[in-house]
Amino acid sequence: MPTANRSLIMTGATRGIGWEAARDVLRRRPDTHLVVLGRASSASGILTELREISPHVSHVDIDLASKASVAAGARLEDLLDSGALPPLWGLVFNAGVHLSNALEATVDGYERTFAVNVMSTHQLLRQLHPHLRPPARIVVTVSDAHFGDLRHTGGTMPSPRWAIPDISRPGAYNRSGNVRAGRRAYVTSKLGGIYLVHEWSRRLPQGVDILAYNPSLVIGTGLARETGGAFPFLMRRIVPVLAATPLVDTPAPAGRKLADTILGATAAPTGAYIHRTKAMPSSTESYNPDREHALWNWLEQLPREQPLGTTD
C-alpha cells in the first residue's frame, strides 16, 4: 500500500453515494488519506469497511447540526499544521438532510435542513480552505430538485423560496409543519448550496476549484427516510422500476460519478454545476450574485462558535 501523501476530508461518507464515492476514491488513489466527518454512531462500522480498502482512513466526530460541534473540526487544522495529516487537496460536502417538516430546530435555534445543508458547509469551508494546497478541488453535493419544476422533479417537489435570513428559522414557510414545507426547505437549501459554490468560486485562490455536483435521482441512498408523505413509498416502490433507464441511478454508479468529480476525471471550470457526468447550467434562479453575496455576508456575520469542551 503506497504511503498517503494527500488528504481528502469528506462529509456524508457513511451511506449512499458518499459511501460508494469514498470507496472508489480509496481504490483509485491509494495515496489518499480519507478523513470522514460525521457522528460516531454513523461511522463506527463504516470505518472498518473502508479500512479494508485502505489503512489511510480516520474519523472526526462532528454533528453538522451544531455550530459548536462543527467548530471542533479545528482539530483538523492542528493535524494538518503538524504534519500528522498529509497536505489537504480536497474537501467534499456530501452530507444532507431532507425532513418531513420545516419546524425542527438545531441546538442553535436554526431550521435543521438549512443548518446542515448550507450553514455547516460554509462553516467548514471557512475553517479549512486556508489549508488546501493547489491544485485542489472542493465538491458540494446539490440537487436538480432546486429547479422546482415538473421536468426536474416530476411534480414531487415545490419550487424554492429564497429569503435570507428568514429561511434559517424554524416555521419560516407556509404551514411549516407539513410535508410540503419540508420539501420546500430541502429544495431551497440545495439552491443555497449552489449560491455558496458561486460565491466561494469568486473568493478562492487560483488553483482551488469548487464545484456543485448533482447526482440527480438515486434510489437506495436513505435520504427519503425522514421525508414523510408518499415520498418514501415512491422511492421504494415506483422509482426503482425506472432503475433500468437512464433516468435513475443506484448508489454504486452514482458514487463513481461523484468520485470522478472529486478526482478531476470530470472536467469543469470552478463554480460549475455538474449534472452526473458533465457541466451544464443550473436553474436560472441559481445565478444571482446579489443573493450569493447576501448569503455570504449573513453567514460571515453569525457569531463564531467555540469548539465543544472549550472555554474563552
Side-chain angles (χ1 to χ4, degrees):
M1 175 64 65
T3 301
N5 57 29
R6 60 187 209 161
S7 291
L8 173 68
I9 297 174
M10 184 172 183
T11 71
T14 59
R15 62 167 60 93
I17 67 169
W19 156 243
E20 297 289 351
R23 297 171 68 199
D24 204 39
V25 167
L26 290 173
R27 291 189 184 108
R28 291 160 65 178
R29 287 302 304 259
D31 59 339
T32 295
H33 185 105
L34 175 66
V35 183
V36 176
L37 301 189
R39 289 176 294 185
S41 58
S42 300
S44 56
I46 297 302
L47 293 174
T48 300
E49 295 182 44
L50 290 175
R51 286 171 181 148
E52 291 175 357
I53 301 171
S54 168
H56 308 308
V57 179
S58 55
H59 171 249
V60 174
D61 187 12
I62 283 181
D63 179 1
L64 296 175
S66 163
K67 290 183 66 184
S69 181
V70 172
R75 75 189 72 164
L76 288 167
E77 298 183 68
D78 296 333
L79 294 172
L80 290 163
D81 286 340
S82 68
L85 284 175
L88 182 63
W89 69 270
L91 295 169
V92 181
F93 301 99
N94 180 66
V97 297
H98 183 177
L99 306 177
S100 62
N101 61 73
L103 289 175
E104 292 191 26
T106 68
V107 293
D108 306 299
Y110 297 104
E111 193 277 318
R112 186 175 158 215
T113 305
F114 192 81
V116 172
N117 295 2
V118 179
M119 295 174 66
S120 70
T121 297
H122 182 80
Q123 186 179 350
L124 284 166
L125 262 172
R126 167 54 68 196
Q127 293 172 204
L128 296 171
H129 85 275
H131 299 273
L132 287 163
R133 296 294 174 261
R137 181 165 275 207
I138 303 163
V139 178
V140 180
T141 299
V142 293
S143 171
D144 51 8
H146 83 276
F147 282 85
D149 59 11
L150 183 64
R151 175 188 170 192
H152 292 89
T153 72
T156 61
M157 306 292 269
S159 59
R161 174 186 171 266
W162 190 259
I164 284 292
D166 295 358
I167 55 176
S168 70
R169 302 167 184 146
Y173 299 92
N174 291 334
R175 297 183 293 278
S176 286
N178 69 20
V179 169
R180 187 169 179 81
R183 293 176 186 169
R184 197 180 300 277
Y186 175 76
V187 300
T188 301
S189 74
K190 292 305 179 179
L191 178 63
I194 297 173
Y195 287 155
L196 278 185
V197 167
H198 290 166
E199 187 65 22
W200 272 97
S201 72
R202 292 189 280 265
R203 297 172 181 269
L204 289 164
Q206 187 173 5
V208 178
D209 294 342
I210 183 168
L211 303 167
Y213 172 75
N214 166 45
S216 199
L217 188 55
V218 182
I219 60 171
T221 65
L223 184 62
R225 64 190 180 280
E226 296 182 86
T227 57
F231 200 71
F233 173 79
L234 290 172
M235 292 298 288
R236 286 196 314 270
R237 302 293 185 182
I238 306 302
V239 174
V241 176
L242 302 174
T245 76
L247 299 174
V248 175
D249 260 340
T250 54
R256 287 193 296 272
K257 292 167 188 173
L258 173 56
D260 284 342
T261 299
I262 296 167
L263 295 172
T266 299
T270 188
Y273 172 84
I274 295 178
H275 173 74
R276 289 184 170 173
T277 60
K278 63 182 179 180
M280 60 175 51
S282 48
S283 70
T284 300
E285 187 178 6
S286 70
Y287 297 96
N288 191 317
D290 290 339
R291 287 184 177 182
E292 292 156 9
H293 190 60
L295 174 61
W296 170 280
N297 283 341
W298 180 76
L299 290 166
E300 287 291 291
Q301 290 164 9
L302 294 177
R304 299 294 184 203
E305 295 294 324
Q306 290 288 331
L308 291 173
T310 68
T311 57
D312 293 328

